[in-house]
mmCIF file of all heavy atoms in Angstrom:
data_model
loop_
_atom_site.group_PDB
_atom_site.id
_atom_site.type_symbol
_atom_site.label_atom_id
_atom_site.label_comp_id
_atom_site.label_asym_id
_atom_site.label_seq_id
_atom_site.Cartn_x
_atom_site.Cartn_y
_atom_site.Cartn_z
ATOM 1 N N SER A 1 12.054 2.093 21.918
ATOM 2 C CA SER A 1 12.806 1.528 20.802
ATOM 3 C C SER A 1 12.137 0.255 20.286
ATOM 4 O O SER A 1 11.989 0.063 19.079
ATOM 5 C CB SER A 1 14.239 1.235 21.244
ATOM 6 O OG SER A 1 14.949 0.590 20.221
ATOM 7 N N LYS A 2 11.704 -0.595 21.217
ATOM 8 C CA LYS A 2 11.005 -1.822 20.815
ATOM 9 C C LYS A 2 9.699 -1.483 20.109
ATOM 10 O O LYS A 2 9.325 -2.134 19.129
ATOM 11 C CB LYS A 2 10.727 -2.704 22.034
ATOM 12 C CG LYS A 2 11.925 -3.459 22.534
ATOM 13 C CD LYS A 2 11.570 -4.340 23.716
ATOM 14 C CE LYS A 2 12.796 -5.055 24.241
ATOM 15 N NZ LYS A 2 12.488 -5.848 25.438
ATOM 16 N N GLY A 3 8.996 -0.481 20.614
ATOM 17 C CA GLY A 3 7.737 -0.061 19.998
ATOM 18 C C GLY A 3 7.950 0.438 18.582
ATOM 19 O O GLY A 3 7.188 0.109 17.664
ATOM 20 N N VAL A 4 9.008 1.222 18.387
ATOM 21 C CA VAL A 4 9.325 1.747 17.054
ATOM 22 C C VAL A 4 9.649 0.589 16.109
ATOM 23 O O VAL A 4 9.173 0.543 14.966
ATOM 24 C CB VAL A 4 10.498 2.759 17.119
ATOM 25 C CG1 VAL A 4 11.042 3.070 15.737
ATOM 26 C CG2 VAL A 4 10.046 4.030 17.806
ATOM 27 N N LYS A 5 10.446 -0.367 16.589
ATOM 28 C CA LYS A 5 10.807 -1.525 15.755
ATOM 29 C C LYS A 5 9.570 -2.346 15.402
ATOM 30 O O LYS A 5 9.414 -2.796 14.260
ATOM 31 C CB LYS A 5 11.836 -2.404 16.477
ATOM 32 C CG LYS A 5 13.220 -1.806 16.519
ATOM 33 C CD LYS A 5 14.168 -2.689 17.289
ATOM 34 C CE LYS A 5 15.525 -2.013 17.424
ATOM 35 N NZ LYS A 5 16.430 -2.770 18.298
ATOM 36 N N THR A 6 8.696 -2.547 16.376
ATOM 37 C CA THR A 6 7.463 -3.317 16.145
ATOM 38 C C THR A 6 6.573 -2.620 15.128
ATOM 39 O O THR A 6 6.051 -3.248 14.203
ATOM 40 C CB THR A 6 6.698 -3.523 17.465
ATOM 41 O OG1 THR A 6 7.544 -4.204 18.384
ATOM 42 C CG2 THR A 6 5.426 -4.309 17.270
ATOM 43 N N ASN A 7 6.421 -1.298 15.285
ATOM 44 C CA ASN A 7 5.602 -0.525 14.340
ATOM 45 C C ASN A 7 6.196 -0.559 12.929
ATOM 46 O O ASN A 7 5.472 -0.692 11.948
ATOM 47 C CB ASN A 7 5.442 0.917 14.807
ATOM 48 C CG ASN A 7 4.537 1.030 16.011
ATOM 49 O OD1 ASN A 7 3.792 0.112 16.333
ATOM 50 N ND2 ASN A 7 4.600 2.163 16.687
ATOM 51 N N LYS A 8 7.515 -0.432 12.851
ATOM 52 C CA LYS A 8 8.191 -0.455 11.547
ATOM 53 C C LYS A 8 8.009 -1.813 10.885
ATOM 54 O O LYS A 8 7.718 -1.902 9.683
ATOM 55 C CB LYS A 8 9.677 -0.125 11.701
ATOM 56 C CG LYS A 8 10.400 -0.037 10.354
ATOM 57 C CD LYS A 8 11.869 0.235 10.544
ATOM 58 C CE LYS A 8 12.624 0.350 9.249
ATOM 59 N NZ LYS A 8 12.282 -0.566 8.202
ATOM 60 N N ALA A 9 8.149 -2.888 11.662
ATOM 61 C CA ALA A 9 7.985 -4.235 11.104
ATOM 62 C C ALA A 9 6.558 -4.438 10.598
ATOM 63 O O ALA A 9 6.348 -5.012 9.513
ATOM 64 C CB ALA A 9 8.328 -5.286 12.156
ATOM 65 N N ALA A 10 5.578 -3.952 11.353
ATOM 66 C CA ALA A 10 4.177 -4.083 10.934
ATOM 67 C C ALA A 10 3.921 -3.272 9.668
ATOM 68 O O ALA A 10 3.231 -3.739 8.744
ATOM 69 C CB ALA A 10 3.243 -3.640 12.058
ATOM 70 N N ALA A 11 4.492 -2.060 9.604
ATOM 71 C CA ALA A 11 4.317 -1.211 8.423
ATOM 72 C C ALA A 11 4.994 -1.836 7.205
ATOM 73 O O ALA A 11 4.439 -1.817 6.096
ATOM 74 C CB ALA A 11 4.872 0.180 8.684
ATOM 75 N N ASP A 12 6.183 -2.416 7.406
ATOM 76 C CA ASP A 12 6.890 -3.075 6.301
ATOM 77 C C ASP A 12 6.089 -4.273 5.792
ATOM 78 O O ASP A 12 5.977 -4.488 4.579
ATOM 79 C CB ASP A 12 8.284 -3.535 6.739
ATOM 80 C CG ASP A 12 9.259 -2.379 6.922
ATOM 81 O OD1 ASP A 12 8.971 -1.267 6.413
ATOM 82 O OD2 ASP A 12 10.297 -2.582 7.576
ATOM 83 N N LYS A 13 5.516 -5.030 6.694
ATOM 84 C CA LYS A 13 4.726 -6.206 6.325
ATOM 85 C C LYS A 13 3.475 -5.779 5.547
ATOM 86 O O LYS A 13 3.137 -6.377 4.514
ATOM 87 C CB LYS A 13 4.332 -6.986 7.573
ATOM 88 C CG LYS A 13 3.580 -8.253 7.293
ATOM 89 C CD LYS A 13 3.278 -9.012 8.573
ATOM 90 C CE LYS A 13 2.485 -10.273 8.248
ATOM 91 N NZ LYS A 13 2.132 -11.009 9.460
ATOM 92 N N PHE A 14 2.816 -4.722 6.035
ATOM 93 C CA PHE A 14 1.620 -4.234 5.341
ATOM 94 C C PHE A 14 1.987 -3.750 3.939
ATOM 95 O O PHE A 14 1.295 -4.052 2.963
ATOM 96 C CB PHE A 14 0.953 -3.114 6.143
ATOM 97 C CG PHE A 14 -0.266 -2.567 5.479
ATOM 98 C CD1 PHE A 14 -1.478 -3.241 5.557
ATOM 99 C CD2 PHE A 14 -0.214 -1.384 4.744
ATOM 100 C CE1 PHE A 14 -2.610 -2.747 4.912
ATOM 101 C CE2 PHE A 14 -1.334 -0.885 4.108
ATOM 102 C CZ PHE A 14 -2.543 -1.574 4.197
ATOM 103 N N ALA A 15 3.082 -2.973 3.857
ATOM 104 C CA ALA A 15 3.516 -2.458 2.554
ATOM 105 C C ALA A 15 3.832 -3.599 1.599
ATOM 106 O O ALA A 15 3.475 -3.544 0.405
ATOM 107 C CB ALA A 15 4.733 -1.561 2.728
ATOM 108 N N ALA A 16 4.472 -4.647 2.092
ATOM 109 C CA ALA A 16 4.803 -5.794 1.247
ATOM 110 C C ALA A 16 3.536 -6.478 0.732
ATOM 111 O O ALA A 16 3.525 -7.001 -0.386
ATOM 112 C CB ALA A 16 5.664 -6.794 2.024
ATOM 113 N N ASN A 17 2.470 -6.466 1.512
ATOM 114 C CA ASN A 17 1.206 -7.093 1.101
ATOM 115 C C ASN A 17 0.460 -6.284 0.043
ATOM 116 O O ASN A 17 -0.188 -6.863 -0.832
ATOM 117 C CB ASN A 17 0.290 -7.310 2.308
ATOM 118 C CG ASN A 17 0.765 -8.446 3.189
ATOM 119 O OD1 ASN A 17 1.476 -9.338 2.743
ATOM 120 N ND2 ASN A 17 0.387 -8.413 4.451
ATOM 121 N N VAL A 18 0.498 -4.945 0.126
ATOM 122 C CA VAL A 18 -0.267 -4.129 -0.827
ATOM 123 C C VAL A 18 0.567 -3.669 -2.025
ATOM 124 O O VAL A 18 0.002 -3.271 -3.045
ATOM 125 C CB VAL A 18 -0.934 -2.902 -0.144
ATOM 126 C CG1 VAL A 18 -1.982 -3.339 0.848
ATOM 127 C CG2 VAL A 18 0.070 -1.969 0.461
ATOM 128 N N LEU A 19 1.874 -3.753 -1.919
ATOM 129 C CA LEU A 19 2.734 -3.308 -3.022
ATOM 130 C C LEU A 19 2.463 -4.065 -4.335
ATOM 131 O O LEU A 19 2.447 -3.431 -5.396
ATOM 132 C CB LEU A 19 4.214 -3.413 -2.631
ATOM 133 C CG LEU A 19 5.188 -2.761 -3.608
ATOM 134 C CD1 LEU A 19 4.893 -1.259 -3.734
ATOM 135 C CD2 LEU A 19 6.616 -2.980 -3.169
ATOM 136 N N PRO A 20 2.218 -5.378 -4.293
ATOM 137 C CA PRO A 20 1.923 -6.074 -5.552
ATOM 138 C C PRO A 20 0.654 -5.554 -6.252
ATOM 139 O O PRO A 20 0.504 -5.734 -7.466
ATOM 140 C CB PRO A 20 1.731 -7.537 -5.125
ATOM 141 C CG PRO A 20 2.514 -7.667 -3.865
ATOM 142 C CD PRO A 20 2.382 -6.328 -3.191
ATOM 143 N N ILE A 21 -0.223 -4.893 -5.514
ATOM 144 C CA ILE A 21 -1.421 -4.304 -6.113
ATOM 145 C C ILE A 21 -1.103 -2.901 -6.642
ATOM 146 O O ILE A 21 -1.530 -2.521 -7.733
ATOM 147 C CB ILE A 21 -2.567 -4.231 -5.067
ATOM 148 C CG1 ILE A 21 -2.894 -5.629 -4.550
ATOM 149 C CG2 ILE A 21 -3.808 -3.563 -5.650
ATOM 150 C CD1 ILE A 21 -3.775 -5.632 -3.317
ATOM 151 N N ILE A 22 -0.322 -2.155 -5.862
ATOM 152 C CA ILE A 22 -0.031 -0.752 -6.197
ATOM 153 C C ILE A 22 0.995 -0.626 -7.331
ATOM 154 O O ILE A 22 0.823 0.185 -8.251
ATOM 155 C CB ILE A 22 0.468 0.002 -4.938
ATOM 156 C CG1 ILE A 22 -0.660 0.092 -3.910
ATOM 157 C CG2 ILE A 22 0.992 1.386 -5.292
ATOM 158 C CD1 ILE A 22 -0.231 0.670 -2.570
ATOM 159 N N ALA A 23 2.068 -1.421 -7.287
ATOM 160 C CA ALA A 23 3.184 -1.279 -8.233
ATOM 161 C C ALA A 23 2.758 -1.397 -9.701
ATOM 162 O O ALA A 23 3.159 -0.550 -10.529
ATOM 163 C CB ALA A 23 4.283 -2.285 -7.907
ATOM 164 N N PRO A 24 1.925 -2.394 -10.082
ATOM 165 C CA PRO A 24 1.532 -2.467 -11.507
ATOM 166 C C PRO A 24 0.705 -1.258 -11.953
ATOM 167 O O PRO A 24 0.866 -0.785 -13.092
ATOM 168 C CB PRO A 24 0.684 -3.751 -11.584
ATOM 169 C CG PRO A 24 1.051 -4.548 -10.389
ATOM 170 C CD PRO A 24 1.454 -3.564 -9.349
ATOM 171 N N MET A 25 -0.162 -0.736 -11.069
ATOM 172 C CA MET A 25 -0.957 0.439 -11.425
ATOM 173 C C MET A 25 -0.049 1.640 -11.657
ATOM 174 O O MET A 25 -0.245 2.409 -12.597
ATOM 175 C CB MET A 25 -1.998 0.749 -10.327
ATOM 176 C CG MET A 25 -3.151 -0.237 -10.280
ATOM 177 S SD MET A 25 -4.484 0.298 -9.190
ATOM 178 C CE MET A 25 -3.975 -0.380 -7.624
ATOM 179 N N ARG A 26 0.945 1.785 -10.792
ATOM 180 C CA ARG A 26 1.878 2.908 -10.920
ATOM 181 C C ARG A 26 2.708 2.751 -12.186
ATOM 182 O O ARG A 26 2.974 3.738 -12.887
ATOM 183 C CB ARG A 26 2.776 2.993 -9.673
ATOM 184 C CG ARG A 26 3.633 4.217 -9.605
ATOM 185 C CD ARG A 26 2.805 5.469 -9.474
ATOM 186 N NE ARG A 26 3.684 6.602 -9.242
ATOM 187 C CZ ARG A 26 3.338 7.848 -9.384
ATOM 188 N NH1 ARG A 26 2.089 8.144 -9.727
ATOM 189 N NH2 ARG A 26 4.178 8.813 -9.173
ATOM 190 N N ALA A 27 3.115 1.495 -12.492
ATOM 191 C CA ALA A 27 3.907 1.230 -13.702
ATOM 192 C C ALA A 27 3.108 1.557 -14.968
ATOM 193 O O ALA A 27 3.687 1.961 -15.986
ATOM 194 C CB ALA A 27 4.358 -0.228 -13.725
ATOM 195 N N ASP A 28 1.788 1.422 -14.888
ATOM 196 C CA ASP A 28 0.919 1.754 -16.027
ATOM 197 C C ASP A 28 0.642 3.255 -16.117
ATOM 198 O O ASP A 28 -0.122 3.688 -16.987
ATOM 199 C CB ASP A 28 -0.411 0.991 -15.928
ATOM 200 C CG ASP A 28 -0.253 -0.488 -16.205
ATOM 201 O OD1 ASP A 28 0.774 -0.872 -16.812
ATOM 202 O OD2 ASP A 28 -1.146 -1.257 -15.807
ATOM 203 N N GLY A 29 1.219 4.051 -15.196
ATOM 204 C CA GLY A 29 1.087 5.502 -15.256
ATOM 205 C C GLY A 29 -0.049 6.086 -14.439
ATOM 206 O O GLY A 29 -0.348 7.282 -14.543
ATOM 207 N N ALA A 30 -0.692 5.280 -13.598
ATOM 208 C CA ALA A 30 -1.789 5.786 -12.770
ATOM 209 C C ALA A 30 -1.240 6.770 -11.736
ATOM 210 O O ALA A 30 -0.156 6.578 -11.174
ATOM 211 C CB ALA A 30 -2.510 4.637 -12.085
ATOM 212 N N SER A 31 -1.993 7.823 -11.499
ATOM 213 C CA SER A 31 -1.581 8.805 -10.475
ATOM 214 C C SER A 31 -1.803 8.212 -9.084
ATOM 215 O O SER A 31 -2.527 7.215 -8.911
ATOM 216 C CB SER A 31 -2.410 10.089 -10.628
ATOM 217 O OG SER A 31 -3.757 9.850 -10.248
ATOM 218 N N LEU A 32 -1.181 8.832 -8.100
ATOM 219 C CA LEU A 32 -1.354 8.382 -6.719
ATOM 220 C C LEU A 32 -2.828 8.441 -6.318
ATOM 221 O O LEU A 32 -3.334 7.554 -5.623
ATOM 222 C CB LEU A 32 -0.491 9.227 -5.769
ATOM 223 C CG LEU A 32 1.024 9.165 -5.999
ATOM 224 C CD1 LEU A 32 1.741 10.133 -5.065
ATOM 225 C CD2 LEU A 32 1.553 7.749 -5.833
ATOM 226 N N ARG A 33 -3.527 9.483 -6.750
ATOM 227 C CA ARG A 33 -4.943 9.649 -6.426
ATOM 228 C C ARG A 33 -5.790 8.525 -7.033
ATOM 229 O O ARG A 33 -6.668 7.975 -6.399
ATOM 230 C CB ARG A 33 -5.419 11.024 -6.947
ATOM 231 C CG ARG A 33 -6.872 11.338 -6.756
ATOM 232 C CD ARG A 33 -7.207 11.658 -5.311
ATOM 233 N NE ARG A 33 -8.001 10.573 -4.760
ATOM 234 C CZ ARG A 33 -8.119 10.275 -3.492
ATOM 235 N NH1 ARG A 33 -7.483 10.964 -2.588
ATOM 236 N NH2 ARG A 33 -8.852 9.283 -3.088
ATOM 237 N N LYS A 34 -5.472 8.162 -8.330
ATOM 238 C CA LYS A 34 -6.217 7.087 -9.004
ATOM 239 C C LYS A 34 -5.969 5.753 -8.311
ATOM 240 O O LYS A 34 -6.877 4.930 -8.177
ATOM 241 C CB LYS A 34 -5.826 7.010 -10.481
ATOM 242 C CG LYS A 34 -6.514 8.031 -11.322
ATOM 243 C CD LYS A 34 -6.414 7.644 -12.769
ATOM 244 C CE LYS A 34 -7.180 8.672 -13.555
ATOM 245 N NZ LYS A 34 -7.934 8.134 -14.621
ATOM 246 N N ILE A 35 -4.734 5.536 -7.868
ATOM 247 C CA ILE A 35 -4.413 4.284 -7.162
ATOM 248 C C ILE A 35 -5.189 4.228 -5.846
ATOM 249 O O ILE A 35 -5.760 3.191 -5.498
ATOM 250 C CB ILE A 35 -2.888 4.153 -6.936
ATOM 251 C CG1 ILE A 35 -2.154 4.031 -8.271
ATOM 252 C CG2 ILE A 35 -2.576 2.953 -6.040
ATOM 253 C CD1 ILE A 35 -0.635 4.112 -8.170
ATOM 254 N N ALA A 36 -5.216 5.347 -5.133
ATOM 255 C CA ALA A 36 -5.961 5.398 -3.869
ATOM 256 C C ALA A 36 -7.438 5.105 -4.110
ATOM 257 O O ALA A 36 -8.063 4.330 -3.368
ATOM 258 C CB ALA A 36 -5.786 6.758 -3.203
ATOM 259 N N ASP A 37 -8.009 5.694 -5.155
ATOM 260 C CA ASP A 37 -9.423 5.456 -5.488
ATOM 261 C C ASP A 37 -9.663 3.986 -5.831
ATOM 262 O O ASP A 37 -10.680 3.403 -5.431
ATOM 263 C CB ASP A 37 -9.855 6.342 -6.666
ATOM 264 C CG ASP A 37 -9.942 7.826 -6.278
ATOM 265 O OD1 ASP A 37 -10.004 8.126 -5.069
ATOM 266 O OD2 ASP A 37 -9.932 8.683 -7.206
ATOM 267 N N ALA A 38 -8.727 3.376 -6.569
ATOM 268 C CA ALA A 38 -8.865 1.965 -6.935
ATOM 269 C C ALA A 38 -8.816 1.066 -5.694
ATOM 270 O O ALA A 38 -9.593 0.108 -5.582
ATOM 271 C CB ALA A 38 -7.775 1.570 -7.934
ATOM 272 N N LEU A 39 -7.915 1.380 -4.774
ATOM 273 C CA LEU A 39 -7.823 0.595 -3.529
ATOM 274 C C LEU A 39 -9.106 0.733 -2.711
ATOM 275 O O LEU A 39 -9.604 -0.249 -2.140
ATOM 276 C CB LEU A 39 -6.605 1.033 -2.701
ATOM 277 C CG LEU A 39 -5.235 0.709 -3.312
ATOM 278 C CD1 LEU A 39 -4.125 1.403 -2.532
ATOM 279 C CD2 LEU A 39 -5.002 -0.801 -3.334
ATOM 280 N N ASN A 40 -9.633 1.946 -2.644
ATOM 281 C CA ASN A 40 -10.889 2.170 -1.918
ATOM 282 C C ASN A 40 -12.050 1.443 -2.599
ATOM 283 O O ASN A 40 -12.928 0.882 -1.933
ATOM 284 C CB ASN A 40 -11.186 3.669 -1.797
ATOM 285 C CG ASN A 40 -10.228 4.346 -0.823
ATOM 286 O OD1 ASN A 40 -9.775 3.733 0.141
ATOM 287 N ND2 ASN A 40 -9.916 5.596 -1.091
ATOM 288 N N ALA A 41 -12.067 1.436 -3.953
ATOM 289 C CA ALA A 41 -13.128 0.750 -4.700
ATOM 290 C C ALA A 41 -13.077 -0.754 -4.446
ATOM 291 O O ALA A 41 -14.118 -1.420 -4.390
ATOM 292 C CB ALA A 41 -13.001 1.041 -6.196
ATOM 293 N N ARG A 42 -11.881 -1.288 -4.262
ATOM 294 C CA ARG A 42 -11.720 -2.721 -3.986
ATOM 295 C C ARG A 42 -11.956 -3.039 -2.497
ATOM 296 O O ARG A 42 -11.833 -4.177 -2.097
ATOM 297 C CB ARG A 42 -10.309 -3.176 -4.356
ATOM 298 C CG ARG A 42 -10.033 -3.223 -5.818
ATOM 299 C CD ARG A 42 -8.641 -3.789 -6.016
ATOM 300 N NE ARG A 42 -8.267 -3.818 -7.406
ATOM 301 C CZ ARG A 42 -7.111 -4.314 -7.832
ATOM 302 N NH1 ARG A 42 -6.242 -4.816 -6.977
ATOM 303 N NH2 ARG A 42 -6.831 -4.314 -9.113
ATOM 304 N N ARG A 43 -12.225 -1.998 -1.713
ATOM 305 C CA ARG A 43 -12.448 -2.130 -0.261
ATOM 306 C C ARG A 43 -11.229 -2.716 0.465
ATOM 307 O O ARG A 43 -11.359 -3.516 1.383
ATOM 308 C CB ARG A 43 -13.691 -2.964 0.035
ATOM 309 C CG ARG A 43 -14.958 -2.347 -0.487
ATOM 310 C CD ARG A 43 -16.164 -3.123 0.000
ATOM 311 N NE ARG A 43 -17.377 -2.705 -0.670
ATOM 312 C CZ ARG A 43 -18.115 -1.652 -0.339
ATOM 313 N NH1 ARG A 43 -17.753 -0.899 0.663
ATOM 314 N NH2 ARG A 43 -19.211 -1.371 -1.004
ATOM 315 N N ILE A 44 -10.071 -2.295 0.017
ATOM 316 C CA ILE A 44 -8.825 -2.678 0.700
ATOM 317 C C ILE A 44 -8.532 -1.583 1.717
ATOM 318 O O ILE A 44 -8.304 -0.428 1.335
ATOM 319 C CB ILE A 44 -7.656 -2.805 -0.311
ATOM 320 C CG1 ILE A 44 -7.969 -3.907 -1.329
ATOM 321 C CG2 ILE A 44 -6.346 -3.077 0.418
ATOM 322 C CD1 ILE A 44 -6.983 -3.991 -2.481
#
């Protein structure tokens, strides 16, 4: 249970860090694949 909570907290923290990059691209209509390619191009 502690492991699950720790993993969830780490995943939530990571998502909070990358969401400001992903959300505007998605709002502009970029596909999930294009967003993934952009993140890879930025070496994130």
Side-chain angles (χ1 to χ4, degrees):
S1 175
K2 283 182 182 176
V4 167
K5 286 178 185 173
T6 301
N7 289 344
K8 184 182 181 320
D12 288 343
K13 183 177 179 182
F14 179 79
N17 287 336
V18 295
L19 190 60
I21 301 167
I22 294 173
M25 288 190 271
R26 188 65 173 164
D28 288 341
S31 70
L32 298 175
R33 177 74 250 157
K34 280 197 177 220
I35 295 171
D37 290 342
L39 292 170
N40 289 329
R42 289 184 182 182
R43 297 188 190 277
I44 298 172

